[in-house]
Amino acid sequence: MSSKNILITGASGLIGTRLTELLLEQGHQVSHLSRNHSRSKARIYLWDIDKKQVDPHAFEGIDTIIHLAGAGVADKPWTDKRKWEILKSRTQSTKLLFEELQKRKHSVTTFISASAIGYYGFEDNEKLHKENDDSGTDFLANVVRQWEAEIDRISELSIRVVKIRIGIVLSGKSGALKELVKPVKYYAGAPLGSGDQYVSWIHINDLAAIFIRAIQNETMEGAYNGVAPHPVTNRDLTKAIATQLNKPLFLPAVPAFALKVLLGEMANLVLKGSKVSSEKIEQAGFKFQYDKVEKALADLLPKKI
Ligand SMILES: NC(=O)c1ccc[n+]([C@@H]2O[C@H](COP(=O)([O-])OP(=O)(O)OC[C@H]3O[C@@H](n4cnc5c(N)ncnc54)[C@H](OP(=O)(O)O)[C@@H]3O)[C@@H](O)[C@H]2O)c1
């Protein structure tokens, strides 16, 4: 692939950090659009979404934007204020990018955005979701639908738009896997609720490779699920983590009501799941390095902890 000049928003997070490393290794020029200066190998430009301010130099020479910015969905309790922050950090940031691209001369041809499998909602645990399916009706599904509507508007500017509906990202550094490992490590590992809820996961390196494929492959356009080919139930994932770490699972499942009392509506994140298809991205020629969860865990976790 010829060298690209890429601007990434939200690049200081889990996905952006790994993606930046891989893009730099491949010889691309990478800069970040961030809310503040942090340690980074890339050049950082600043933006303030609330004030609708973006460093005007951020877009100079840029051909590709990767949009990852958004307030962490599982980082804080879902108060009304936090729910508004989760929505607004995605819709307003995308809207601001649209307005900036609309008003200035630029050379951007490709816009690749994070989206989420939360789009499909949690209505039917057994249904295999494909990109043409309708969105769900719960809070997260509403957020993702509104976020995608803003992302889609970018194509009105004759820019190729790709949306990656990301599943649960497995990384050794942070994110969901770190939280799942904690109880198993301290001999308190147990499935959550029924344990039957599907986890449509993806290894961080495969996800980063999908974003890179979307830069490369100019025929890619619209929504693609960013999930591995074999989703697993919460019970099987917990067992696979325990096996990888060589730890026993003693406890019965954590009852759903206890998690609801503890987490409120946010408990949906762990008690409910969705089974999501990787067929479309595979048809676009993408080959997963980590297709089975055992293989991903063997790469990300130590043999003993
Ligand atoms: N990780 C997953 O399992 C997963 C699953 C589905 C979808 N996604 C989506 O993929 C994107 C990237 O995920 P990630 O795991 O890398 O997220 P992350 O680690 O939480 O990082 C997101 C980045 O967004 C920026 N950000 C945080 N709060 C913000 C706010 N209130 N307003 C504007 N920007 C804010 C921050 O960058 P700066 O501080 O540099 O501005 C932050 O580093 C997110 O939009 C997320 O919803 C992730």
Side-chain angles (χ1 to χ4, degrees):
M1 173 170 53
S2 60
S3 168
K4 299 280 183 191
N5 205 338
I6 303 163
L7 178 69
I8 311 180
T9 75
S12 60
L14 174 69
I15 298 168
T17 302
R18 184 68 186 127
L19 186 55
T20 298
E21 282 170 1
L22 291 175
L23 287 169
L24 288 172
E25 270 171 36
Q26 293 182 13
H28 301 287
Q29 293 190 54
V30 180
S31 47
H32 291 173
L33 190 55
S34 183
R35 294 165 306 158
N36 40 49
H37 283 287
S38 54
R39 266 204 3 223
S40 164
K41 285 182 189 152
R43 177 166 188 171
I44 297 180
Y45 296 96
L46 295 183
W47 65 342
D48 185 321
I49 298 158
D50 289 335
K51 290 187 183 151
K52 291 190 153 211
Q53 287 171 353
V54 185
D55 183 332
H57 300 295
F59 301 98
E60 281 169 10
I62 296 297
D63 47 63
T64 305
I65 294 178
I66 297 184
H67 182 35
L68 304 174
V73 164
D75 289 359
K76 291 184 187 170
W78 283 4
T79 58
D80 286 348
K81 191 169 166 238
R82 185 62 183 171
K83 281 167 127 180
W84 171 238
E85 184 68 23
I86 288 170
L87 173 68
K88 161 186 103 147
S89 59
R90 290 174 171 78
T91 52
Q92 305 287 76
S93 60
T94 314
K95 205 172 180 168
L96 183 54
L97 290 171
F98 174 88
E99 288 164 2
E100 288 293 318
L101 290 169
Q102 190 180 41
K103 80 178 184 205
R104 66 183 68 249
K105 229 175 150 220
H106 65 81
S107 44
V108 175
T109 57
T110 305
F111 186 93
I112 301 164
S113 183
S115 175
I117 59 167
Y119 179 87
Y120 301 112
F122 302 118
E123 273 93 15
D124 185 348
N125 188 48
E126 292 301 323
K127 180 179 159 71
L128 184 65
H129 290 288
K130 298 198 174 174
E131 288 79 352
N132 284 337
D133 287 357
D134 289 338
S135 69
T137 53
D138 59 280
F139 164 65
L140 277 183
N142 283 326
V143 167
V144 181
R145 193 174 52 251
Q146 291 178 64
W147 185 17
E148 286 205 4
E150 292 297 338
I151 299 166
D152 288 339
R153 283 186 66 214
I154 306 271
S155 61
E156 292 169 19
L157 306 172
S158 302
I159 292 172
R160 178 171 68 93
V161 171
V162 183
K163 300 174 286 187
I164 310 294
R165 291 187 183 148
I166 303 169
I168 308 296
V169 179
L170 300 185
S171 155
K173 299 230 163 95
S174 58
L177 186 57
K178 220 172 136 222
E179 299 308 314
L180 288 162
V181 161
K182 270 185 211 160
V184 176
K185 186 173 160 185
Y186 298 112
Y187 297 93
L192 304 175
S194 73
D196 293 333
Q197 65 278 33
Y198 272 98
V199 180
S200 292
W201 59 276
I202 183 163
H203 188 295
I204 180 79
N205 286 352
D206 275 336
L207 179 64
I210 287 178
F211 274 88
I212 295 172
R213 167 61 63 115
I215 301 173
Q216 249 169 355
N217 182 345
E218 290 179 5
T219 66
M220 279 179 70
E221 205 149 7
Y224 291 81
N225 295 330
V227 295
H230 301 284
V232 287
T233 62
N234 169 271
R235 184 185 304 101
D236 288 345
L237 176 59
T238 313
K239 278 188 197 159
I241 292 171
T243 305
Q244 173 61 32
L245 297 176
N246 213 2
K247 294 275 185 191
L249 283 185
F250 291 119
L251 301 173
V254 180
F257 76 84
L259 287 162
K260 280 184 193 152
V261 168
L262 204 67
L263 299 171
E265 189 183 357
M266 206 173 153
N268 281 350
L269 285 180
V270 289
L271 288 174
K272 297 194 173 177
S274 57
K275 204 164 143 190
V276 176
S277 166
S278 61
E279 192 182 306
K280 188 175 172 192
I281 189 70
E282 290 184 276
Q283 278 173 354
F286 185 78
K287 301 250 178 306
F288 284 87
Q289 194 182 349
Y290 302 95
D291 54 344
K292 298 267 176 70
V293 80
E294 292 78 9
K295 197 171 169 190
L297 294 176
D299 178 63
L300 296 168
L301 296 176
K303 284 225 155 47
K304 226 173 177 168
I305 203 160

